[in-house]
């Protein structure tokens, strides 16, 4: 790509990132109006809660982001999906409140997750965590940041902190289990992955059926901090396609991630095709 086109592409994505950051910040402010205020709650299929706060943030983000980029597609946990997004060059992938259960319980580990996906990959990502006064963001090749400080996954130590389902951790080889310490449950998956990016966690497994909106923003943030999210084929997940949920995943870096990816591959159902 000629240098002028490269500069234009970077500038284009920076404008998209700023749009995401501003919208996610206001989405966070909207969510905070309901936080610890006993918002109305409904149960979705699979006994998953959704609140009036989720809907309010989703409505604001959808209206604001699509008004600014009407040619982009839209994929959100709280909006009925439409195949029309498959024809868009770029797609907003949004979880208005990632960690709704924590939000409803008054815990502060939740965030507004917003990404832009192009050709299956995240090209801009933001996690706004207002109850913790933290904002994560990333662009491809530009690094990942939290509150303006550049992030880097931490170097391995004598003990390694890992999150995720106990069954997958227990499937690790014994020599790894001997140095692993399982972290208490972290209710927001996006935030848990961001914790690896900021060096406060070494790795996490992700149980099957995580969705694009849980992962797309955090995946880019982790990648730009030096880590990776891998599926059972040891490949980076793709987003905003026809299928929006995933099998088990491994997130981390270095040798530990490689071993975790082997575990995820060994646990995959061959009949599912991955």
């Amino acid at each position: 790509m000629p240098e002028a086109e490269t500069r234009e592409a970077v500038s284009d994505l920076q404008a998209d990132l700023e749009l995401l950051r501003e919208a996610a910040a206001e989405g966070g402010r909207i969510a905070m109006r309901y936080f610890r205020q006993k918002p109305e709650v409904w149960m979705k299929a699979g006994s998953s809660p959704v609140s009036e706060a989720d809907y309010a943030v989703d409505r604001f983000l959808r209206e604001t982001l699509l008004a600014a980029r009407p040619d982009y597609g839209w994929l959100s946990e709280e909006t009925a999906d439409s195949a029309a997004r498959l024809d868009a060059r770029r797609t907003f992938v949004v979880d208005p409140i990632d960690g709704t259960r924590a939000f409803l319980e008054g815990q502060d580990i939740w965030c507004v997750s917003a990404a832009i996906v192009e050709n299956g990959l995240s090209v801009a990502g933001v996690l706004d965590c207002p109850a913790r006064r933290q904002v994560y963001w990333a662009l491809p090749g530009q690094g990942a940041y939290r509150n303006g400080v550049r992030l880097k996954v931490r170097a391995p130590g004598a003990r390694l902190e890992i999150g995720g389902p106990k069954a997958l951790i227990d499937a690790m080889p014994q020599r790894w289990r001997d140095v692993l310490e399982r972290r208490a449950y972290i209710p927001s998956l996006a935030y848990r992955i961001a914790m690896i990016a900021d060096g406060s966690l070494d790795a996490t497994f992700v149980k099957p059926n995580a969705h694009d909106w849980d992962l797309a923003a955090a995946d880019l943030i982790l990648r730009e901090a030096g880590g990776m999210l891998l599926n059972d084929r040891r490949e980076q997940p793709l987003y905003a396609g026809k299928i929006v949920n995933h099998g088990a995943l491994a997130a981390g870096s270095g040798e530990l991630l490689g071993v975790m990816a082997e575990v995820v591959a060994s646990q995959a159902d061959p009949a599912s095709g991955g």
Side-chain angles (χ1 to χ4, degrees):
M1 182 182 293
E3 184 177 345
E5 291 184 22
T6 301
R7 287 198 303 269
E8 183 178 351
V10 170
S11 177
D12 182 37
L13 288 178
Q14 286 174 336
D16 274 357
L17 177 64
E18 287 308 307
L19 173 65
L20 283 187
R21 288 181 59 184
E22 291 172 6
E26 181 58 27
R29 286 189 284 270
I30 292 170
M32 288 297 289
R33 296 173 196 156
Y34 297 88
F35 186 49
R36 298 172 178 164
Q37 299 299 316
K38 298 182 179 180
E40 189 170 1
V41 178
W42 301 268
M43 300 305 293
K44 298 188 292 186
S47 300
S48 176
V50 61
S51 75
E52 57 181 319
D54 296 84
Y55 289 139
V57 177
D58 186 70
R59 184 167 53 251
F60 167 78
L61 293 175
R62 184 173 68 251
E63 292 174 355
T64 300
L65 294 174
L66 290 179
R69 303 287 190 273
D71 56 329
Y72 285 19
W74 180 260
L75 176 63
S76 167
E77 180 173 15
E78 310 306 347
T79 304
D81 197 10
S82 168
R85 65 176 173 78
L86 298 174
D87 295 325
R89 179 173 68 97
R90 290 179 178 166
T91 299
F92 292 112
V93 179
V94 168
D95 191 340
I97 299 179
D98 186 84
T100 295
R101 288 184 187 275
F103 177 88
L104 294 174
E105 292 170 2
Q107 300 179 48
D108 63 4
I109 304 180
W110 55 272
C111 56
V112 178
S113 175
I116 295 173
V117 170
E118 183 176 3
N119 296 324
L121 299 177
S122 301
V123 293
V126 173
L127 300 179
D128 195 290
C129 317
R132 292 198 159 198
R133 298 182 181 179
Q134 296 173 338
V135 185
Y136 295 81
W137 68 85
L139 284 176
Q142 303 296 309
Y145 298 83
R146 186 186 72 186
N147 294 359
V149 177
R150 188 158 185 166
L151 303 180
K152 184 178 181 180
V153 296
R154 71 184 181 192
R159 298 291 297 175
L160 301 170
E161 291 184 287
I162 188 170
K166 185 176 184 296
L168 287 170
I169 296 172
D170 288 347
M172 292 284 285
Q174 184 63 52
R175 70 182 182 89
W176 284 96
R177 292 205 307 273
D178 289 342
V179 299
L180 291 175
E181 180 178 331
R182 186 177 181 226
R183 179 72 75 90
Y185 177 63
I186 300 161
S188 165
L189 175 54
Y191 191 85
R192 193 193 323 160
I193 294 170
M195 288 173 65
I196 305 170
D198 71 22
S200 53
L201 187 68
D202 288 288
T204 189
F205 283 109
V206 178
K207 67 181 180 181
N209 207 38
H211 289 75
D212 287 3
W213 47 77
D214 302 310
L215 302 167
D219 184 345
L220 178 59
I221 291 164
L222 175 58
R223 198 174 347 131
E224 286 298 310
M228 287 193 74
L229 185 66
L230 297 175
N231 61 23
D232 60 8
R233 296 178 298 279
R234 301 177 181 83
E235 298 171 345
Q236 184 177 331
L238 298 178
Y239 304 114
K242 292 182 179 180
I243 298 173
V244 300
N245 61 329
H246 303 265
L249 302 163
S253 63
E255 186 181 2
L256 173 59
L257 175 60
V259 176
M260 291 172 65
E262 291 177 6
V263 169
V264 166
S266 72
Q267 300 291 308
D269 178 3
S272 72

